[in-house]
Amino acid sequence: MSQDLKQYADIIEQLKPMVNEPEFNQVLLQIAADVPKEKRFLVKMEVKRLAKPCMRTIDLRGHVDGKCRKYVHEGRSHYMDDLAVDKFEEQLRVFGRYTYGVYEAVQNTENNFRLLREKELAQEIADKDNPTAKKRSAVLEQFKVPTVNLLDYSQRNTERMNFAVAVEIFNTANQSMRGLSVDISLEGLQIKLSKDAFFKTGEKLFIYFRGLENEFAMDKKNGIAYKLVKIIAKNDINYLALQRDKELPNPAFDKFLESFIHGNKRRYKVNMNNTVEAITSKTCEQFFSPRSPTLPVFIDAINNSLIPRFAMANEVNRETVQYWQDEEGVCRLNFLLTQERLARLLSMSEEAREIFIFSFTHLHSEKVYFYSASFEELMQKDMLFRVFLGFGSRKASWRVFKVTLTDMNPEQAHIPLSIPDSVGSKVKKLNSPPSARLMSKLKSLRYLAHITDVTSVTGQETYNEFKFNRSDLTHLRHFGHPRNRAPSNIQIVRFKYEEQRIESRYQLRTQVEARFNDEDTVHTGVSEDISVHGLGLRIELSKEYKGNLEGKVEVAFPRLQEIASSFDVMHLQYEVIYHNVDKNILHLKTMPGDEGKSARAFFEELIKKNKASLKVESDEEIVPGIGQALRCINARNATSLSFLMSKEGVRYTPQACIIGKQDERVTNLTTQYAERGKVNLEFLFRDRKQDSPFVQSGIKAVKLENMPLRQELFISFDASQKDPRMAIIPRYSDKFESNEQRRAFIRDAMTRGQFIAIHVMLTTTGKPDMSLLQTEINYVTMYAVHRARELEKKLWSFAACSHLVDVTDEVLIRYGFSREDITANKTLKSVTPTQVILSNA
């Protein structure tokens, strides 16, 4: 509709149903009596135009903020989301058939990205005279970053050259249009046309290169046959992606084109958009994979059984591997990934395969006993729920794991370069698929389980509140894993590339004796883990610690003393830096100076030996290349959102985001207030003006201590709000003064819209492995040195990574909300939570 007629839109809407009625002119005179005669004529013509039959198909995929599905009408297939379908059927009733009015109404639904962008531009224009609003908008824009699909980019079979020349396109009905080529290859062509293009996807087209006819001996009678693969609409231009029709070959044109591209590609420049995209994607993967907190476990599906085969350990998730090792270092991950739990995950809908598993260990006679239970297993009886969570959370070994299951395909292991074989023999070799021997090892893999440790200090303290009868502790045997069960056959595959290692805590489960503040009384207990350089130690006592923080403690390791003859480990000096509510779990730090020297020296030696045992050289791989193959599969199936940051001045700002497959809540939250292909992460930086903003100060802490940092973020989300600062209300869990405040926040969030809890993890990044990128960077350098330099500069600018794991359901469990509340919070915008008497009993 033209700008002149927009003021009469209401009149046009009233006239639409009457357009085919005999009394149309009479109704027009009545409704538009006050409209000038010449304008009234234009209104009439517009309504008649809208009522004309339409032959166009509708394809809204990628154009609307909704999930499109196939919709067949009178033999024609359209692709529309639910909002568009409603509008389509509404307008069909108005016009009585499929007309241009129906087509245009569907193209202008309120969730169309084009209209949304137009509204944003109108608002920006309205704010142009408001300096404050303009400055604020610029600040907020830095938190909108593009999304990247890891290792997902197009590979070209032939080089594509940027080339603009006049063309004329004919369809089989001999209808024609003139346009301009954009780029060309031996196999394809891209053309840009006006918005009025009438061609359809899938049809055969004949292209005449009019701009070449004066310079070259072109066939002016017969066009070159192509198939229309895709139509991309940008602004007021349609881009046609065409592929040569192999049923109608033209050897003479092929020979001419090959010679033409070879002789002119440096003059016109090779189109390298897909190569730049590939370098960006691979760069993000390099910073994501080695520091992801999630442990991927690859699962075979054989004879209706799910068999975990491989686990991919990196610098951060190795803590999970170590946790599930017994005193002999044997992997017991099968205790976590039981057949029953895997079967339950598989029975869920694909986008919602997740469970939370609670676990702890018990040390008896220097032997480790594992206990674990999922939320569903504990809900069989209220008593089981209380006793497991109440007792288990009082152990230093308490953990909460989120486990998800996603489909995978062994073919995802093949990651060819973005450039064609014809560039050179080295490229052709790198594009070769994995060996048959390697693929035989992967051929039965069908699923990928992701295990993420989402334990939190406040969460553990909250579970401490659960009351239970000690006489019920015998029921814990239902969740104990028998030591005589065969260990898992999961093979641990490690990242070969681990420069700039980030430290984790190391499992150290052994008997300890502690004396506090030089007292004679000896407290017995067990150690759980040690941290980097032996500076930290976590122990669990058999009875309550009576002292305060910063109290001095002497720790003895009688079992270790038997095997550590060159060290005195019976008088190691520490101070208490944290204790839990029950004062039976203590976090200790070595005393400064000479007092703590013995402890630091002993554990540094112990950790060095542990590190050595973790290293696996490339020639020790089960099959050469399996580590890289599994890494590629995992990167293509990330399940949670992560984003990379670079340092600009003294601040860290997000640059690129990876969206997970099974992350609907967090995805909706981050994409709600961003353009297509981007996320808005402003809510994570809402505290940026405070003295100690979490992300900024957190990264500094990670760099200082060389260890990952974790925090929980609570969010109240009301998607009906237009302003993101009103829609998203974030608050870090440690900012609440009590659990009652946390419960109140959750109740309020569920009432106003939706509650979301995110386990936020910060890590620094290592150095990029240039050997995996150099071939494609060299290719870009050949034709555009400046672009290659920009890519390398960006590559080296990444300094930190944040991983966001949705823990909403576990937090609701923790604070005593019912199953009904948890289900309602997944799907509804407003619920009334009903507290169950769990945590206050």
Side-chain angles (χ1 to χ4, degrees):
M1 188 183 299
S2 68
Q3 203 66 34
D4 290 341
L5 289 174
K6 281 190 176 179
Q7 59 184 312
Y8 305 114
D10 290 342
I11 293 174
I12 291 170
E13 284 298 317
Q14 294 178 62
L15 290 171
K16 279 181 182 179
M18 303 301 297
V19 66
N20 295 317
E21 301 297 329
E23 58 268 34
F24 173 74
N25 288 328
Q26 184 181 346
V27 174
L28 172 64
L29 288 172
Q30 290 174 354
I31 295 176
D34 297 329
V35 177
K37 189 174 181 180
E38 64 272 17
K39 295 291 185 183
R40 193 160 61 228
F41 175 77
L42 292 175
V43 168
K44 178 181 178 179
M45 290 300 98
E46 175 64 7
V47 176
K48 290 287 188 182
R49 184 189 71 81
L50 293 173
K52 286 183 179 180
C54 182
M55 303 298 290
R56 295 181 180 181
T57 56
I58 300 170
D59 189 350
L60 297 179
R61 290 175 292 186
H63 297 283
V64 294
D65 187 16
K67 194 171 185 178
C68 294
R69 55 187 171 85
K70 189 175 180 179
Y71 182 95
V72 180
H73 174 71
E74 295 182 349
R76 188 177 287 109
S77 295
H78 306 284
Y79 289 90
M80 301 183 285
D81 65 327
D82 292 338
L83 191 63
V85 169
D86 290 343
K87 180 63 71 174
F88 184 93
E89 293 174 347
E90 172 196 298
Q91 293 297 304
L92 276 182
R93 291 190 292 271
V94 169
F95 288 103
R97 57 182 175 175
Y98 181 42
T99 68
Y100 278 95
V102 178
Y103 176 86
E104 291 178 12
V106 171
Q107 297 290 342
N108 289 291
T109 53
E110 61 188 19
N111 68 335
N112 189 287
F113 289 126
R114 172 177 51 80
L115 289 183
L116 292 171
R117 181 58 184 155
E118 287 173 1
K119 288 178 182 177
E120 288 178 5
L121 289 172
Q123 185 61 47
E124 288 173 13
I125 292 170
D127 289 340
K128 69 178 181 179
D129 296 326
N130 185 341
T132 304
K134 191 173 181 180
K135 184 178 179 181
R136 178 173 174 268
S137 176
V139 170
L140 297 181
E141 279 297 312
Q142 68 180 314
F143 301 112
K144 292 182 179 180
V145 298
T147 58
V148 177
N149 294 319
L150 294 185
L151 305 185
D152 185 12
Y153 51 84
S154 57
Q155 185 204 21
R156 291 180 180 159
N157 296 323
T158 54
E159 288 184 291
R160 182 179 295 182
M161 184 177 73
N162 291 322
F163 186 58
V165 66
V167 296
E168 189 170 4
I169 309 110
F170 285 81
N171 61 14
T172 51
N174 210 33
Q175 296 172 300
S176 70
M177 283 191 76
R178 284 188 175 265
L180 194 68
S181 68
V182 177
D183 52 49
I184 190 169
S185 71
L186 292 175
E187 297 181 354
L189 174 68
Q190 187 174 191
I191 296 172
K192 64 178 179 180
L193 301 169
S194 68
K195 267 282 190 176
D196 299 323
F198 45 76
F199 302 116
K200 299 174 186 176
T201 303
E203 72 175 317
K204 186 178 295 185
L205 300 177
F206 295 90
I207 311 300
Y208 292 80
F209 292 86
R210 301 303 190 196
L212 295 177
E213 289 175 348
N214 294 332
E215 298 180 46
F216 301 96
M218 304 293 292
D219 186 347
K220 297 181 181 181
K221 293 183 179 179
N222 299 299
I224 309 301
Y226 284 85
K227 283 185 179 179
L228 180 52
V229 177
K230 186 167 59 174
I231 301 174
I232 304 166
K234 291 182 181 178
N235 300 324
D236 293 325
I237 297 173
N238 274 329
Y239 289 86
L240 273 56
L242 304 165
Q243 190 174 52
R244 284 290 298 277
D245 189 343
K246 294 181 180 178
E247 294 178 0
L248 295 172
N250 191 320
F253 179 76
D254 292 343
K255 188 175 180 180
F256 158 76
L257 190 58
E258 186 174 5
S259 174
F260 185 79
I261 291 175
H262 182 75
N264 291 278
K265 63 182 181 179
R266 288 191 179 275
R267 175 186 172 192
Y268 292 110
K269 305 294 186 187
V270 169
N271 184 305
M272 296 172 295
N273 290 341
N274 72 314
T275 302
V276 171
E277 181 187 351
I279 293 171
T280 302
S281 177
K282 291 180 178 181
T283 298
C284 291
E285 188 278 331
Q286 285 212 11
F287 293 124
F288 163 79
S289 294
R291 300 286 167 87
S292 170
T294 296
L295 176 70
V297 179
F298 301 81
I299 299 174
D300 274 350
I302 300 176
N303 299 328
N304 297 322
S305 293
L306 300 181
I307 305 169
R309 289 293 189 206
F310 308 104
M312 193 82 187
N314 65 22
E315 300 172 324
V316 178
N317 68 30
R318 65 184 180 200
E319 287 190 30
T320 299
V321 176
Q322 292 164 357
Y323 179 86
W324 289 99
Q325 288 176 339
D326 62 19
E327 70 283 353
E328 295 178 351
V330 176
C331 179
R332 296 286 184 173
L333 272 170
N334 56 318
F335 290 166
L336 176 70
L337 298 177
T338 64
Q339 282 295 307
E340 294 76 18
R341 289 170 187 165
L342 291 174
R344 176 173 175 77
L345 282 165
L346 193 57
S347 69
M348 301 175 183
S349 59
E350 189 175 343
E351 65 279 0
R353 293 178 187 157
E354 67 172 47
I355 56 174
F356 288 94
I357 297 173
F358 309 93
S359 69
F360 62 89
T361 62
H362 177 64
L363 189 69
H364 180 68
S365 300
E366 292 296 302
K367 293 183 189 264
V368 181
Y369 294 82
F370 293 89
Y371 294 79
S372 72
S374 68
F375 173 58
E376 291 74 18
E377 291 162 1
L378 292 174
M379 287 304 290
Q380 294 172 12
K381 287 184 182 179
D382 181 52
M383 176 270 296
L384 293 176
F385 189 91
R386 294 171 182 279
V387 71
F388 190 97
L389 299 179
F391 176 79
S393 61
R394 289 168 170 77
K395 306 279 286 181
S397 57
W398 172 256
R399 296 289 189 280
V400 180
F401 294 100
K402 179 178 179 178
V403 180
T404 63
L405 189 72
T406 184
D407 295 350
M408 57 139 286
N409 188 328
E411 301 302 322
Q412 292 174 327
H414 181 36
I415 307 293
L417 299 177
S418 58
I419 48 185
D421 293 353
S422 57
V423 171
S425 57
K426 182 182 178 182
V427 170
K428 186 175 182 179
K429 183 179 179 182
L430 291 171
N431 282 337
S432 301
S435 68
R437 182 185 172 202
L438 172 57
M439 292 307 294
S440 70
K441 284 285 183 183
L442 309 178
K443 67 179 180 180
S444 298
L445 297 179
R446 291 294 177 270
Y447 302 103
L448 186 51
H450 283 111
I451 305 167
T452 311
D453 184 347
V454 293
T455 315
S456 72
V457 172
T458 53
Q460 187 168 5
E461 290 177 346
T462 303
Y463 289 122
N464 282 178
E465 296 179 4
F466 283 44
K467 306 299 181 184
F468 61 93
N469 293 323
R470 298 198 69 83
S471 60
D472 292 330
L473 288 176
T474 55
H475 294 286
L476 290 177
R477 67 178 183 274
H478 293 297
F479 305 107
H481 299 286
R483 285 179 54 85
N484 58 3
R485 182 179 295 177
S488 59
N489 290 322
I490 299 174
Q491 299 178 52
I492 307 299
V493 181
R494 305 187 190 281
F495 285 87
K496 290 190 293 179
Y497 170 66
E498 290 195 21
E499 286 190 44
Q500 282 195 354
R501 296 175 64 91
I502 191 167
E503 302 295 348
S504 64
R505 302 185 71 87
Y506 293 88
Q507 297 298 319
L508 179 67
R509 299 184 179 110
T510 186
Q511 303 290 339
V512 297
E513 296 174 356
R515 292 180 175 83
F516 297 99
N517 301 316
D518 299 321
E519 296 176 355
D520 293 332
T521 307
V522 176
H523 294 251
T524 59
V526 295
S527 63
E528 172 60 19
D529 53 38
I530 50 176
S531 64
V532 57
H533 305 311
L535 294 177
L537 173 68
R538 185 162 51 172
I539 64 174
E540 176 191 334
L541 300 176
S542 55
K543 58 183 179 180
E544 181 183 335
Y545 163 61
K546 300 293 186 182
N548 299 313
L549 295 182
E550 299 183 1
K552 186 178 177 182
V553 53
E554 182 181 273
V555 181
F557 292 87
R559 300 279 185 179
L560 291 182
Q561 188 62 75
E562 296 172 8
I563 58 173
S565 56
S566 57
F567 291 91
D568 176 9
V569 294
M570 296 300 289
H571 305 90
L572 303 182
Q573 304 301 312
Y574 288 87
E575 60 180 334
V576 180
I577 59 171
Y578 167 83
H579 59 70
N580 65 341
V581 176
D582 290 345
K583 289 191 172 184
N584 71 317
I585 296 174
L586 305 183
H587 292 198
L588 310 177
K589 184 177 181 180
T590 55
M591 293 291 289
D594 290 340
E595 280 190 284
K597 187 175 180 181
S598 296
R600 290 192 295 273
F602 170 68
F603 286 118
E604 277 190 8
E605 182 67 22
L606 190 68
I607 289 171
K608 278 182 185 177
K609 290 182 178 178
N610 195 10
K611 278 184 181 178
S613 68
L614 289 175
K615 290 180 182 175
V616 176
E617 302 301 331
S618 58
D619 60 352
E620 292 183 27
E621 288 188 321
I622 317 154
V623 176
I626 194 167
Q628 181 65 16
L630 294 177
R631 175 174 174 170
C632 292
I633 294 172
N634 181 56
R636 287 177 153 185
N637 294 282
T639 53
S640 59
L641 186 145
S642 303
F643 63 92
L644 293 166
M645 291 173 279
S646 63
K647 191 174 183 182
E648 297 180 357
V650 296
R651 295 275 175 180
Y652 291 89
T653 55
Q655 299 295 327
C657 179
I658 301 147
I659 288 185
K661 278 189 171 184
Q662 294 172 305
D663 216 4
E664 188 175 354
R665 254 189 301 236
V666 177
T667 300
N668 289 340
L669 179 74
T670 54
T671 57
Q672 183 82 12
Y673 301 98
E675 300 82 30
R676 183 175 175 232
K678 288 188 175 184
V679 293
N680 189 339
L681 302 171
E682 182 273 334
F683 67 92
L684 287 161
F685 298 82
R686 191 76 57 84
D687 63 346
R688 59 187 177 275
K689 293 182 181 178
Q690 296 178 9
D691 292 338
S692 183
F694 171 69
V695 173
Q696 309 300 335
S697 61
I699 295 173
K700 290 176 184 176
V702 173
K703 293 179 75 173
L704 184 65
E705 299 180 17
N706 205 25
M707 291 180 66
L709 186 69
R710 302 168 182 263
Q711 183 59 274
E712 274 185 352
L713 181 65
F714 287 8
I715 294 170
S716 176
F717 181 36
D718 180 4
S720 67
Q721 296 283 345
K722 300 296 182 185
D723 184 349
R725 292 183 65 83
M726 295 297 294
I728 303 172
I729 301 174
R731 191 168 180 184
Y732 286 99
S733 180
D734 64 340
K735 302 301 182 185
F736 295 96
E737 293 181 2
S738 66
N739 277 339
E740 280 312 310
Q741 284 189 6
R742 294 184 180 95
R743 291 186 184 98
F745 181 90
I746 295 171
R747 282 193 294 267
D748 179 66
M750 294 172 76
T751 300
R752 74 185 287 265
Q754 188 179 36
F755 169 70
I756 300 174
I758 300 175
H759 187 87
V760 184
M761 186 172 187
L762 296 176
T763 68
T764 51
T765 56
K767 292 180 181 178
D769 186 350
M770 296 303 295
S771 66
L772 299 175
L773 301 166
Q774 201 62 59
T775 302
E776 282 157 314
I777 289 177
N778 291 344
Y779 183 71
V780 175
T781 304
M782 285 173 60
Y783 302 104
V785 176
H786 66 286
R787 292 192 78 178
R789 286 174 179 166
E790 286 174 5
L791 286 168
E792 289 201 61
K793 183 179 178 182
K794 187 171 184 179
L795 176 69
W796 288 98
S797 71
F798 291 122
C801 186
S802 180
H803 305 269
L804 310 184
V805 183
D806 185 348
V807 291
T808 306
D809 293 355
E810 188 268 319
V811 170
L812 292 176
I813 293 166
R814 181 196 310 169
Y815 292 108
F817 289 84
S818 69
R819 278 182 166 182
E820 291 73 23
D821 293 330
I822 295 171
T823 302
N825 190 55
K826 290 177 187 290
T827 54
L828 301 180
K829 291 297 177 186
S830 181
V831 296
T832 304
T834 55
Q835 284 286 108
V836 292
I837 306 171
L838 286 175
S839 54
N840 295 325

